[in-house]
Amino acid sequence: MSNLGAYRAQEPLRIAPVVYVKSFRAIALDRDTGKELWVYEAGALVTRLLLAHGSVYLGDGDGAVHCLEPATGELRGRIQTGGGLVAALIDDGDRILVAAEGGVFALTPSGDLLWAYDSRHHVGSSLAEVGLACTLGFSQQPDRK
């Protein structure tokens, strides 16, 4: 028998006022009423969604990352990673980390490319699983000499 029933949260759980639905479009719904707030046509299957830095980021099946205005769904910017399907979008503080079939990319919150790593020469198939792991919360940077 589980002991989960004994757990009590110290803080009430805070839920965003918007619910997002993804397919070949992103749809924003009011959490309380279910009313459609906006629809964004992505042009490809939306594979990932991230809320960060006052924006909605969408990763798609064609390797693009779209940056949207959260209140209206208006496109702020779009970058093509050069990879295939976007498998991960991670807010890493001062950057957005993106894992796609062609590699790993770091973007500024405004969508400018900081760096790209082409991982295709390490992967035997374009169908291979793509992942991204980050160490979060560490307080020391390695010495750089």
Side-chain angles (χ1 to χ4, degrees):
M1 181 145 153
S2 172
N3 218 5
L4 291 176
Y7 176 78
R8 294 196 185 268
Q10 299 298 317
E11 295 276 328
L13 183 63
R14 293 189 181 13
I15 304 293
V18 177
V19 174
Y20 295 93
V21 180
K22 60 184 182 69
S23 63
F24 282 88
R25 58 183 54 104
I27 305 166
L29 306 174
D30 181 276
R31 180 179 61 89
D32 293 328
T33 66
K35 178 183 175 217
E36 186 178 282
L37 302 173
W38 52 259
V39 176
Y40 173 75
E41 297 290 338
L45 181 64
V46 176
T47 58
R48 293 290 178 248
L49 187 138
L50 172 68
L51 305 174
H53 305 282
S55 296
V56 176
Y57 298 92
L58 307 174
D60 73 26
D62 288 338
V65 177
H66 311 247
C67 179
L68 308 179
E69 163 62 45
T72 64
E74 183 177 324
L75 181 66
R76 289 180 169 170
R78 180 180 180 277
I79 187 167
Q80 183 65 42
T81 65
L85 176 127
V86 173
L89 288 173
I90 297 175
D91 176 10
D92 189 33
D94 62 344
R95 65 197 66 213
I96 305 295
L97 299 176
V98 180
E101 284 183 87
V104 178
F105 308 85
L107 309 175
T108 66
S110 61
D112 295 321
L113 183 66
L114 292 169
W115 54 260
Y117 177 78
D118 185 345
S119 62
R120 288 176 288 196
H121 61 281
H122 292 294
V123 179
S125 164
S126 64
L127 301 176
E129 181 179 338
V130 177
L132 181 63
C134 294
T135 303
L136 301 177
F138 62 90
S139 59
Q140 292 184 326
Q141 293 290 327
D143 288 336
R144 295 200 168 110
K145 297 180 182 179

